[in-house]
Amino acid sequence: MTTYPTNRMQADVIIVGGGFMGAATAFFLRRQGLSVILLERNLVGQAASGVNFGNVRRQSRYLGQLPLANRSRDIWINLPRLIGEDAEFVMSGHILVTTSEKDGARLEKYAVDCKPYGLDLTIMTGDQARAKFPMVGPDIRTVSYSPLDGHANPRLAAPAFGRAARRAGARVIENTEVCAITKTSEDFIVETRDGHSFQAPLLQISSGAWGRAMAASFGEDIPFAANGPQMGVTEPLPYRIGPVIGSASSVLEEGVYLRQVKRGNIVYGGGRRSVADLVAKRSPIDPLNTMRQMPYLARLVPQIARLRVIRTWSGVEGYVGDNLPIMGPSSKVPGLFYAFGFCGHGFQLGPGVGMTMAELIATGHTDIPLEPFHIKRFQ
Amino acid sequence: MADEPVIVIGAGPAGTRAAQRLVQAGLRPVVIDENDRQGGQIYRRQPENFHRTPEKLYGTEAAKATALHTDFDLLRPHIDYHPGTTVWGVSDEGLMTVCGQDVTIVPFSRVIIASGATDRIMPVPGWTTPGAYSLGAAQIALKAQACAIGQKPVFMGTGPLLYLVAWQYLQAGARPAAVLDTSALSTRMKGLRRMASRARVVANGVRYMADLARAGVRLHAGITPRAIEASNNQVSGVTWCDSRGRLRQVSCDAVGIGYGLRSETQLADLLKCDFTFDPCFTQWRPHVDRNGRTSRPDVYLAGDGVLLRGADAAEAAGQLAACAVLRDGGHGVEDTEFTQLHETLAIMNRFGRGLAEAFPWPAHLARALPDETVVCRCENITAGEIRRAAGELDAPEMNRAKALTRPGMGRCQGRMCGLAAAEILAAARNVPVREVGRLRTAAPVKPLPLNCTVKS
């Protein structure tokens, strides 16, 4: 537990929300030499950041997001040097698979389109893929292989960035819920439910699914939904499945994905989502979704049908109307920045978002193109 | 779901009496039981082709066991009975059950959960060695399969079950090498004050101890476990410190371990019932009124699954929960029936609390557990890893510790290790154990085959 004085604490930057984005931004802001206060309602990395699938995947992303994803990937492989631990990142490769001709053609086109962005994918037939990845099921006809992608442990990554930020001098304050943010002519004043207040000229909102309400309070509302991805994990078995395997199907229920961790368990998710409860701060896991996922998981890897599920879970994730995040400066309030609403694909981006936002906040500029994610697109 | 049936989960003493009372009122309840045969744990039935007498199986409780079995058999035409069926989750449409590969969604108007209890474990170095069992498992082996965990087992832990199981092994011809109880004789005498309310039960316990002593079984009180020793990856002995602090050793070929019981509360958790910390049993349990009503109007609890008072209390609590269901559903139930059951249970409550006082959970052992001792056996997580979560990783409560270093992350979801892990976390952070909370339940309650299909 962090203690702090009762008078108003000041810093160069206040970050509201200690998910992966907030924790990583705090860490990189310290490297930019700025003082930073990170305010987290619960514990760092406990919501969507901590309970997502753990995909460190670039392929199939919106092309305009690849520069950010590439930057992030370069940080992932350097985590031990940067923050002192690897968050169980493994460069296992990532394969997208499909059973339909139409989806296969889409994979082939993407592999061509992403090349100029420095993402090299290999398109394989089902048989070629099965020769390399024998666990892949017989129904799979086209596979897109991204050798330099992989997966990591979401329960560890954001808390690790939070601790690294604290070691680097950020004031990471947990169990503190922000109840009001006001802007004076110069500074932001942030008040918390436990009666403390904080002051800074620069403010980042990175409060995930709760970011929408905060942006709306500054007159910048967006089309938004808070949903719960449906996750699960099997009992452990010998480590055999290298790559993350995801379905490229455009049919919602078929869109499942899985990865095996080195301890042996297979983590999976995908398909329908539940509706999140932003007040209770929980997303239900619908056991019927667990049932719906089973046959499609077995289509990716038939042997999985012989295993048992030992746990299922969900988390509160924010989905923006156009399925792209809100990232960059406010269009209305100088000094205000956003990094939230990553639509279920933020985990891979976390380190890159932190570095890019810190650069933007500290210098007013970044080489990473953020235009597609600017909140002004909804005004 | 007012038109849907009343569901009873569990067919032990509480579930059976609940179902019976509902049938008496003219209802046709659905009874879902995880076991293949009715009876629960204490009155577990042997397989059909086994022919030991009730006296042999249940000792002094033979008449009660026979009554519970006979009464249930008479209920069979009046209930929908689903043996071998596990309730593994809760959806908006009802309870999710699985039997083999068949998943069924069972809607309900009200549900009585009588899910019983399992052993409460305090790890000790070597407790994951083949040949080390929980006391309950040692008892199941004997009752259900007529198998012993060893020819000269040691029973270690605390609580009345320790002596009952040792006595049952003795009767079955496997003379225990020793019974090692962490509770000191003086501690037991303190609990006796409250336990005197049920002299016959105390007399039974004394008889078990006397029979064991007469057969030459050494009964040690006030011990501190040190280690379960192994040779060739098989249990070969136990070391402990006696009440005077001397290091002792006994050779054996198996160990049964148990420190009282823990309620099986996962279903109440999935149904979003409120929980409360019970300082007497030092564990979290669903909050219930004295009739078994939870914070949710359609969920009722009975038996050891909510309050650890034993089989006699479970029978009364099952009937009482059924009375509450009937009254809340508009059926007539006489006040006198409630009153009588409350009176019965008041005695049981006093006795149960006396037992908890006489055979206390040895929380202090958690602090002394060596760092390298495995606590979560599913995930192979040591005491040291939990302490790392408490210290370096700053986890203030169990779910955070689970997220960071994995205790309770495996097949059993912390049912086995959760309470001990909480003690280790609390000790490492120097806070009372209630402050580190409890592991949240996630479906499936038990591992669920990935080749299941929903049966409509």
Side-chain angles (χ1 to χ4, degrees):
Chain A
M1 191 82 89
T2 309
T3 55
Y4 45 89
T6 47
N7 54 336
R8 186 176 288 163
M9 191 188 281
Q10 303 193 359
D12 296 327
V13 188
I14 292 172
I15 299 173
V16 178
F20 203 172
M21 305 314 170
T25 307
F27 173 78
F28 285 107
L29 277 171
R30 287 301 302 142
R31 289 170 74 95
Q32 292 280 354
L34 271 59
S35 62
V36 52
I37 296 168
L38 172 63
L39 301 174
E40 163 54 37
R41 181 176 56 195
N42 299 119
L43 298 170
V44 167
Q46 227 173 4
S49 306
V51 296
N52 65 77
F53 174 64
N55 224 346
V56 183
R57 161 192 67 86
R58 289 173 298 162
Q59 68 167 326
S60 91
R61 275 179 196 278
Y62 169 68
L63 293 171
Q65 202 173 56
L66 285 175
L68 179 63
N70 288 340
R71 169 180 259 193
S72 207
R73 194 232 160 233
D74 291 344
I75 304 172
W76 274 108
I77 56 176
N78 277 312
L79 280 191
R81 216 169 37 121
L82 198 66
I83 62 168
E85 49 195 296
D86 67 1
E88 294 177 11
F89 172 63
V90 280
M91 204 173 74
S92 59
H94 181 283
I95 60 176
L96 271 175
V97 306
T98 175
T99 57
S100 91
E101 204 170 328
K102 193 172 120 258
D103 291 332
R106 198 161 43 80
L107 290 182
E108 286 172 29
K109 179 173 185 310
Y110 186 88
V112 174
D113 294 345
C114 69
K115 222 171 175 69
Y117 294 88
L119 177 59
D120 284 320
L121 304 178
T122 307
I123 297 293
M124 302 172 169
T125 64
D127 287 340
Q128 286 167 337
R130 278 180 288 275
K132 189 171 173 64
F133 309 112
M135 74 293 294
V136 168
D139 296 344
I140 303 303
R141 50 185 296 167
T142 309
V143 171
S144 174
Y145 174 44
S146 176
L148 303 184
D149 287 342
H151 57 95
N153 188 337
R155 290 179 292 99
L156 305 181
F161 266 98
R163 287 190 301 277
R166 189 175 276 162
R167 282 195 302 273
R171 281 166 288 180
V172 179
I173 304 174
E174 298 176 305
N175 299 305
T176 298
E177 184 169 359
V178 169
C179 59
I181 306 172
T182 48
K183 175 87 198 278
T184 65
S185 56
E186 305 266 297
D187 283 347
F188 292 91
I189 310 291
V190 178
E191 287 167 278
T192 59
R193 284 203 197 285
D194 48 4
H196 297 280
S197 73
F198 303 86
Q199 183 172 357
L202 299 164
L203 182 101
Q204 173 172 303
I205 288 172
S206 46
S207 48
W210 293 269
R212 182 260 188 102
M214 291 185 184
S217 75
F218 288 104
E220 297 183 284
D221 203 2
I222 51 169
F224 197 83
N227 291 318
Q230 309 284 288
M231 313 299 305
V233 64
T234 70
E235 57 199 330
L237 69 161
Y239 181 55
R240 292 284 186 276
I241 303 177
V244 180
I245 304 177
S247 162
S249 173
S250 37
V251 179
L252 174 68
E253 289 191 358
E254 293 180 2
V256 297
Y257 37 80
L258 63 89
R259 67 185 176 102
Q260 187 179 21
V261 299
K262 284 193 170 169
R263 309 178 67 97
N265 312 73
I266 298 174
V267 183
Y268 67 84
R272 287 194 204 177
R273 301 178 190 125
S274 64
V275 176
D277 181 339
L278 287 179
V279 177
K281 303 167 197 161
R282 298 207 81 81
S283 291
I285 175 90
D286 182 350
L288 290 171
N289 281 338
T290 303
M291 298 303 303
R292 290 183 189 110
Q293 287 166 326
M294 289 181 179
Y296 298 113
L297 290 167
R299 193 187 275 183
L300 303 186
V301 177
Q303 296 295 329
I304 202 171
R306 297 168 63 180
L307 299 174
R308 294 180 299 171
V309 183
I310 62 171
R311 190 161 30 86
T312 62
W313 69 92
S314 185
V316 180
E317 171 67 337
Y319 295 84
V320 181
D322 59 0
N323 218 27
L324 292 174
I326 302 295
M327 185 179 168
S330 159
S331 65
K332 297 214 161 142
V333 184
L336 176 63
F337 296 84
Y338 297 119
F340 70 90
F342 281 81
C343 312
H345 61 245
F347 183 66
Q348 190 276 348
L349 296 177
V353 169
M355 180 183 262
T356 304
M357 290 305 298
E359 200 171 72
L360 183 65
I361 290 168
T363 69
H365 176 77
T366 173
D367 288 336
I368 301 293
L370 296 181
E371 200 62 17
F373 318 125
H374 202 296
I375 196 163
K376 71 175 180 231
R377 70 187 189 271
F378 293 112
Q379 282 152 20
Chain B
M1 293 192 268
D3 298 336
E4 304 296 349
V6 175
I7 311 289
V8 177
I9 301 173
T16 299
R17 294 306 176 200
Q20 185 179 32
R21 185 64 186 84
L22 296 171
V23 168
Q24 280 167 8
L27 271 61
R28 186 180 178 84
V30 175
V31 178
I32 302 170
D33 189 31
E34 196 166 40
N35 285 318
D36 291 332
R37 303 201 69 195
Q38 174 264 354
Q41 167 69 344
I42 196 82
Y43 302 134
R44 176 178 294 274
R45 293 198 204 195
Q46 58 193 338
E48 302 227 27
N49 54 337
F50 282 48
H51 301 290
R52 289 165 291 175
T53 63
E55 288 68 29
K56 185 130 186 136
L57 275 173
Y58 309 110
T60 57
E61 309 305 291
K64 286 181 201 164
T66 305
L68 196 84
H69 297 160
T70 310
D71 288 352
F72 186 81
D73 292 343
L74 292 171
L75 284 180
R76 287 289 298 276
H78 309 289
I79 61 174
D80 291 329
Y81 174 45
H82 300 277
T85 302
T86 301
V87 182
W88 61 269
V90 177
S91 81
D92 291 343
E93 290 151 56
L95 304 171
M96 306 292 295
T97 70
V98 61
C99 178
Q101 290 162 236
D102 296 330
V103 167
T104 308
I105 305 165
V106 185
F108 61 91
S109 57
R110 297 174 200 276
V111 57
I112 298 173
I113 304 171
S115 47
T118 60
D119 297 280
R120 189 170 194 177
I121 299 295
M122 176 60 78
V124 61
W127 76 288
T128 56
T129 308
Y133 295 79
S134 73
L135 275 180
Q139 201 182 37
I140 291 172
L142 198 61
K143 272 191 208 161
Q145 300 295 328
C147 292
I149 59 169
Q151 291 180 349
K152 44 169 194 171
V154 162
F155 294 102
M156 179 166 73
T158 195
L161 192 60
L162 198 57
Y163 299 95
L164 174 62
V165 175
W167 184 83
Q168 288 169 331
Y169 268 69
L170 181 67
Q171 298 301 305
R175 193 172 73 108
V179 177
L180 307 176
D181 192 332
T182 52
S183 173
L185 288 173
S186 56
T187 310
R188 282 183 237 172
M189 294 313 289
K190 276 186 226 151
L192 205 56
R193 200 166 36 89
R194 282 191 170 130
M195 284 155 64
S197 57
R198 299 183 68 198
R200 196 187 75 87
V201 183
V202 176
N204 280 342
V206 172
R207 185 191 141 195
Y208 298 146
M209 292 184 196
D211 285 354
L212 286 162
R214 201 172 310 122
V217 178
R218 298 295 301 272
L219 310 177
H220 298 276
I223 67 111
T224 303
R226 278 286 175 263
I228 292 170
E229 298 172 323
S231 106
N232 295 322
N233 199 30
Q234 182 68 35
V235 168
S236 62
V238 176
T239 54
W240 80 95
C241 284
D242 66 18
S243 54
R244 286 192 252 166
R246 290 174 307 195
L247 192 65
R248 307 277 297 268
Q249 197 270 352
V250 60
S251 295
C252 62
D253 58 358
V255 188
I257 312 166
Y259 294 84
L261 299 174
R262 53 164 288 284
S263 299
E264 286 278 78
T265 59
Q266 304 98 302
L267 288 173
D269 202 6
L270 288 180
L271 283 157
K272 301 192 175 80
C273 296
D274 288 345
F275 275 57
T276 181
F277 185 78
D278 187 331
C280 173
F281 296 103
T282 53
Q283 53 190 288
W284 291 84
R285 61 173 175 81
H287 176 76
V288 282
D289 75 0
R290 61 181 184 160
N291 299 315
R293 293 187 183 96
T294 66
S295 59
R296 231 185 104 143
D298 50 355
V299 179
Y300 302 72
L301 301 176
D304 278 353
V306 61
L307 262 174
L308 299 163
R309 297 179 293 198
D312 295 346
E315 290 193 41
Q319 185 184 337
L320 185 57
C323 287
V325 163
L326 290 168
R327 180 169 278 185
D328 297 348
H331 297 262
V333 181
E334 297 291 335
D335 283 344
T336 50
E337 187 172 359
F338 279 99
T339 313
Q340 279 168 11
L341 289 166
H342 290 157
E343 282 168 9
T344 305
L345 283 167
I347 298 168
M348 310 280 182
N349 278 341
R350 193 172 155 77
F351 183 78
R353 292 188 182 269
L355 270 183
E357 207 172 85
F359 300 100
W361 162 244
H364 61 282
L365 296 179
R367 191 181 289 270
L369 209 57
D371 271 348
E372 60 276 12
T373 305
V374 169
V375 176
C376 167
R377 63 179 184 178
C378 299
E379 290 287 311
N380 222 31
I381 305 304
T382 61
E385 279 292 285
I386 297 168
R387 292 180 184 130
R388 189 170 75 90
E392 182 194 331
L393 304 179
D394 199 21
E397 54 89 37
M398 276 305 292
N399 294 292
R400 183 68 161 183
K402 175 183 166 187
L404 296 177
T405 64
R406 308 182 72 83
M409 202 51 119
R411 279 188 180 93
C412 89
Q413 288 205 50
R415 292 167 56 238
M416 194 62 63
C417 71
L419 294 177
E423 296 289 355
I424 294 167
L425 185 65
R429 291 185 72 89
N430 265 316
V431 296
V433 72
R434 66 179 299 168
E435 283 185 27
V436 301
R438 61 189 180 87
L439 290 171
R440 275 190 296 274
T441 304
V445 166
K446 302 274 171 71
L448 179 72
L450 259 157
N451 59 356
C452 288
T453 48
V454 180
K455 250 177 54 176
S456 48

